Amino acid sequence: MNSHPTKMPLILNVDDNDGARYAKTRILQSAGFEVIEAANGTDALEMVQQQHPALVLLDVKLPDINGIEVCRRIKANPDSSMVLVLQTSAALTGRADKIRGLEGGADNYLAAPIEADELIANVNALVRMRQTQGELRDSEERFRQITDNIDDVFWMFTVPDAALVYVSPAYPTLWGRSVDSLRVQPMDWLDAVHPDDRSRMAQRWNQLALAPHYDEECRVIGQDGKTRWVRDRLFPVRGTRGDVYRVARVTSDITSRREMEALLRAADRNKNQFLATLAHELRNPLSPIRNAAALLGTSGDGSAGQINERQARAREVITRQVDHLAHLVDDLLDVARISEGKIVLRREDVNLGTVVHQAIETAGPLIAARRHRLDVRLPEQEVWVSGDPVRLAQSIGNLLHNAAKFTPQGGDITVLASVTAGVADAGQVKISVHDNGIGIAEDNLPRIFGMFAQVDVPPDRAPEGLGIGLSLVAHLLELHGGRLTAESPGIGMGSTFSVELPLLRLGTVAPALACDPAADAGGSGMRVLLVDDNVDAMEMMGFLLAEMGYQTWASSDASQIESLALHHRPQVIVLDIGLPGIDGYEVARRIKRNPALAGIRLVAHTGYGSPEDRRRAMEAGFDAHLVKPAELGDLERALKG
Ligand code: ADP
């Protein structure tokens, strides 16, 4: 940009002939130029240094210093080297003089007789040229100021032969290689790329003409042997006809960002690990507590009815709280697994009705305790989806649990399932859980699916729960190819949570759901060997089973298991898989391989409850798999098979 666009350039007119000088000054002034004059070389040189004219109109023949020499001195001085010189000479000057003048550094040469229009055209042409050069220089200067002072490497290559056109000075610092070797061999940079990333980057450059753009992250090994992470971006540069004839490239050091990411990932891994360990450790004591509570109720010690009633109430409290704790702990474990991508669905064809009823069974106690009315409306036809029945029941159970929790006593909860036909597929199933409870403010709706997210609670109330239920449900549904959505007209206006799942097929008109037959009460002398290193847990279970009419033996030493089994001849062995120093799966395999023991029913009782753990147990030869703390009914069913 020209800072004085209207100011005309200053011209120094040098001629010892007063008449000729005057004539030239008039011509230039009439064209709008500002003109100053000198009659000899010495004055001319002085005025150039002091007044910085844009152009010197310089006659060759001067009294003191020859015009060609004056020109040479102007051009030789760095302060004035950019001043334009238009040399003029008297008529009849030879070609040789003209060449000498130009070689002396003049920008052009005019021989007399000089016509007015010729002079002005020449001066204008030179001034224009200098202006363009100045603009170019400014622009290049700006570019250089950027590229010289930024740590990123800027490059330019030709397409398709990838010859280097330009590389900025940051290259040796970032790459640890010299610009010289890059000039000799433009792909020299590739040698510093980490071997694991090299072929990927090389491939990008092999198809340069086809795909002249990318955004990659790769490692570069510097001369110091240090590895740096860089973000490398390539952009096509198009010619006037739209063809890509060059590529521009920007490479930035992102090592610190990568390091931060790695730290964050490690912290996240530690957190998940901690959550998993914590949940696992918390789960273990729950089993003996639950069993001890159950035992309290069964011991007919003949005490007065009032004490028994109090005991019964105390037992209820313990059982309810243990159930609540077990629920939280299970959610925690699931969260840790989801974050590590370790949840595996055990998919099968699932009847939606069964899943909904299981969910109602789970949330039933809370719904009943808070005296809500529950209305369940399922389609007449059986609705089948593909999924993990346990996880689907858990998801809907969670929504029902929330509906019961966030609705004041005596509320209305509705479960509504509907099917929409699909165009390209079988269609969708939508299961909505609606309540008329406290509702959710619009601002909070997008937040509640986040991990550990809870709507702000008033300062006088402690938050309940961990804020992971909905996040868990959303993830589980995502794994099923479905989704969870939430709606609420506002605070106090109730909420609706909807689960959408891909429909597998519709069945016949749904029959009434068969109830699980109640487990046969009474152990009728069945022989059970219990192996667990948690002596409390084992003792409790032993008492409980004995109360129920089983004959039990217990050991905390799994290495003795085979000899104990041969000795006592149990019909069932209940074994904790996670015993220290011993592989429970291997114990199971050994028992099943032993012809004298192979007929014994094996029940795994363990804190590891994922579908993967269950599968491993079954593969090792266990006949049943119970997750601690096992419900009494489940335990009995597992014992009887
Ligand atoms: P938690 O129940 O442990 O807080 P969730 O992830 O299940 O965690 O729920 C997150 C938040 O969403 C809850 O704290 C509550 O504020 C809100 N929320 C969930 N379900 C409902 C509901 N049915 N009605 C009103 N608010 C709800």
Side-chain angles (χ1 to χ4, degrees):
M1 214 188 7
N2 192 340
S3 50
H4 305 286
T6 50
K7 192 173 174 232
M8 286 303 279
L10 178 66
I11 292 178
L12 172 61
N13 179 10
V14 189
D15 199 325
D16 63 336
N17 181 319
D18 292 344
R21 194 176 65 239
Y22 175 74
K24 284 186 277 188
T25 293
R26 289 302 304 270
I27 294 169
L28 289 168
Q29 279 173 338
S30 66
F33 291 105
E34 216 181 305
V35 185
I36 46 176
E37 294 185 346
N40 58 58
T42 314
D43 289 354
L45 282 171
E46 206 179 303
M47 288 171 88
V48 164
Q49 295 312 325
Q50 281 168 6
Q51 308 213 29
H52 310 288
L55 182 141
V56 182
L57 187 59
L58 184 61
D59 195 38
V60 174
K61 194 180 72 57
L62 294 172
D64 50 351
I65 317 169
N66 177 302
I68 290 174
E69 176 58 19
V70 172
C71 174
R72 202 193 57 72
R73 288 193 202 172
I74 291 174
K75 295 289 182 183
N77 187 335
D79 289 342
S80 56
S81 64
M82 295 303 288
V83 173
L84 291 161
V85 176
L86 175 55
Q87 208 130 54
T88 55
S89 72
L92 306 174
T93 312
R95 263 183 81 242
D97 289 330
K98 194 168 174 177
I99 290 169
R100 233 164 31 97
L102 288 173
E103 279 183 345
D107 295 282
N108 208 355
Y109 199 102
L110 280 179
I114 302 168
E115 298 297 333
D117 51 357
E118 190 188 7
L119 175 64
I120 289 167
N122 262 278
V123 169
N124 275 334
L126 285 179
V127 167
R128 246 193 338 265
M129 184 191 78
R130 179 51 35 93
Q131 225 161 33
T132 315
Q133 278 175 346
E135 280 163 14
L136 258 177
R137 216 184 32 249
D138 280 355
S139 139
E140 193 161 311
E141 180 84 11
R142 282 196 298 271
F143 171 73
R144 217 164 278 287
Q145 280 165 357
I146 292 172
T147 58
D148 285 4
N149 291 297
I150 283 184
D151 296 336
D152 296 353
V153 181
F154 292 83
W155 337 47
M156 190 160 272
F157 296 84
T158 57
V159 172
D161 44 352
L164 181 71
V165 178
Y166 172 80
V167 65
S168 67
Y171 173 74
T173 321
L174 185 57
W175 233 266
R177 297 177 89 81
S178 81
V179 175
D180 288 343
S181 33
L182 193 63
R183 288 198 199 291
V184 177
Q185 171 48 263
M187 291 301 280
D188 187 64
W189 60 268
L190 193 59
D191 290 346
V193 172
H194 192 285
D196 291 352
D197 301 332
R198 201 175 294 152
S199 61
R200 176 167 50 98
M201 296 307 286
Q203 204 185 349
R204 290 304 219 162
W205 281 77
N206 283 340
Q207 42 182 305
L208 192 61
L210 279 176
H213 48 79
Y214 65 67
D215 187 344
E216 294 278 351
E217 292 187 3
C218 67
R219 282 155 293 179
V220 171
I221 304 170
Q223 258 165 355
D224 50 5
K226 269 201 203 136
T227 302
R228 286 194 177 82
W229 272 101
V230 297
R231 180 181 180 194
D232 195 20
R233 279 172 295 166
L234 198 70
F235 311 91
V237 178
R238 293 178 194 281
T240 42
R241 275 169 286 128
D243 52 320
V244 176
Y245 78 115
R246 283 181 177 176
V247 279
R249 180 180 179 189
V250 185
T251 312
S252 326
D253 190 342
I254 53 162
T255 311
S256 46
R257 193 198 86 195
R258 279 281 187 158
E259 281 169 358
M260 289 305 288
E261 283 172 359
L263 282 176
L264 279 176
R265 266 197 300 274
D268 196 49
R269 251 197 322 277
N270 283 345
K271 180 206 72 190
N272 289 337
Q273 197 97 51
F274 170 74
L275 281 182
T277 316
L278 178 73
H280 198 248
E281 288 298 317
L282 287 176
R283 191 188 237 168
N284 273 336
L286 292 182
S287 178
I289 297 175
R290 192 201 293 267
N291 289 344
L295 192 63
L296 281 179
T298 57
S299 60
D301 57 1
S303 317
Q306 214 200 334
I307 294 172
N308 274 342
E309 210 175 285
R310 279 221 315 258
Q311 279 179 339
R313 262 214 306 281
R315 188 187 68 157
E316 262 173 45
V317 171
I318 297 173
T319 310
R320 210 171 36 246
Q321 296 301 327
V322 168
D323 283 348
H324 181 58
L325 207 54
H327 188 80
L328 286 179
V329 164
D330 283 346
D331 276 2
L332 261 186
L333 258 184
D334 278 347
V335 163
R337 289 205 197 96
I338 278 199
S339 321
E340 292 178 329
K342 275 194 188 155
I343 286 212
V344 185
L345 296 183
R346 282 171 70 89
R347 271 186 192 268
E348 53 186 75
D349 292 4
V350 181
N351 184 343
L352 190 71
T354 317
V355 164
V356 169
H357 278 273
Q358 265 160 10
I360 293 169
E361 249 176 55
T362 324
L366 186 65
I367 296 176
R370 295 180 61 78
R371 294 202 295 281
H372 295 311
R373 283 171 298 277
L374 177 66
D375 184 10
V376 182
R377 292 184 221 161
L378 302 180
E380 280 224 320
Q381 274 181 302
E382 275 181 0
V383 177
W384 290 83
V385 294
S386 160
D388 185 328
V390 176
R391 294 308 193 175
L392 289 177
Q394 176 187 359
S395 301
I396 298 171
N398 235 317
L399 299 181
L400 272 171
H401 188 90
N402 275 352
K405 181 163 129 188
F406 295 108
T407 301
Q409 290 224 356
D412 286 306
I413 301 174
T414 313
V415 179
L416 183 70
S418 60
V419 170
T420 45
V423 183
D425 54 15
Q428 293 278 317
V429 188
K430 187 168 179 176
I431 308 122
S432 303
V433 177
H434 172 80
D435 64 59
N436 62 349
I438 62 168
I440 302 163
E442 199 181 341
D443 294 353
N444 286 324
L445 271 176
R447 279 186 41 211
I448 54 173
F449 292 163
M451 189 73 80
F452 306 120
Q454 290 183 316
V455 167
D456 305 331
V457 284
D460 56 333
R461 254 189 64 196
E464 281 175 34
L466 299 171
I468 52 183
L470 289 179
S471 157
L472 200 60
V473 174
H475 274 104
L476 288 173
L477 292 174
E478 238 169 68
L479 289 178
H480 279 89
R483 67 187 189 123
L484 174 68
T485 51
E487 292 161 81
S488 171
I491 293 193
M493 320 263 297
S495 319
T496 306
F497 286 82
S498 302
V499 169
E500 278 171 75
L501 288 167
L503 173 68
L504 187 62
R505 62 172 187 277
L506 289 172
T508 50
V509 171
L513 270 170
C515 271
D516 266 354
D520 231 349
S524 44
M526 190 187 256
R527 304 157 71 84
V528 181
L529 173 60
L530 305 169
V531 184
D532 196 320
D533 72 325
N534 185 335
V535 178
D536 274 350
M538 193 172 52
E539 242 173 33
M540 256 351 332
M541 197 190 276
F543 282 144
L544 205 58
L545 290 175
E547 284 281 342
M548 291 158 65
Y550 290 87
Q551 212 180 330
T552 59
W553 295 270
S555 169
S556 56
D557 185 359
S559 63
Q560 298 286 320
I561 198 164
E562 278 166 285
S563 58
L564 281 172
L566 285 169
H567 184 70
H568 296 298
R569 296 265 155 219
Q571 288 151 293
V572 187
I573 300 176
V574 180
L575 171 65
D576 181 359
I577 299 182
L579 296 178
I582 204 132
D583 182 352
Y585 300 112
E586 183 47 36
V587 173
R589 277 191 285 269
R590 272 212 313 267
I591 290 174
K592 289 291 174 185
R593 272 202 305 267
N594 184 336
L597 304 176
I600 300 177
R601 185 170 167 74
L602 283 183
V603 176
H605 187 220
T606 156
Y608 304 97
S610 76
E612 171 62 17
D613 295 324
R614 205 173 284 273
R615 189 185 58 74
R616 279 187 71 193
M618 293 304 165
E619 276 174 12
F622 282 99
D623 301 285
H625 183 272
L626 287 176
V627 180
K628 286 181 182 177
E631 303 260 12
L632 210 55
D634 290 342
L635 177 62
E636 274 215 294
R637 269 192 292 276
L639 291 176
K640 290 181 174 166

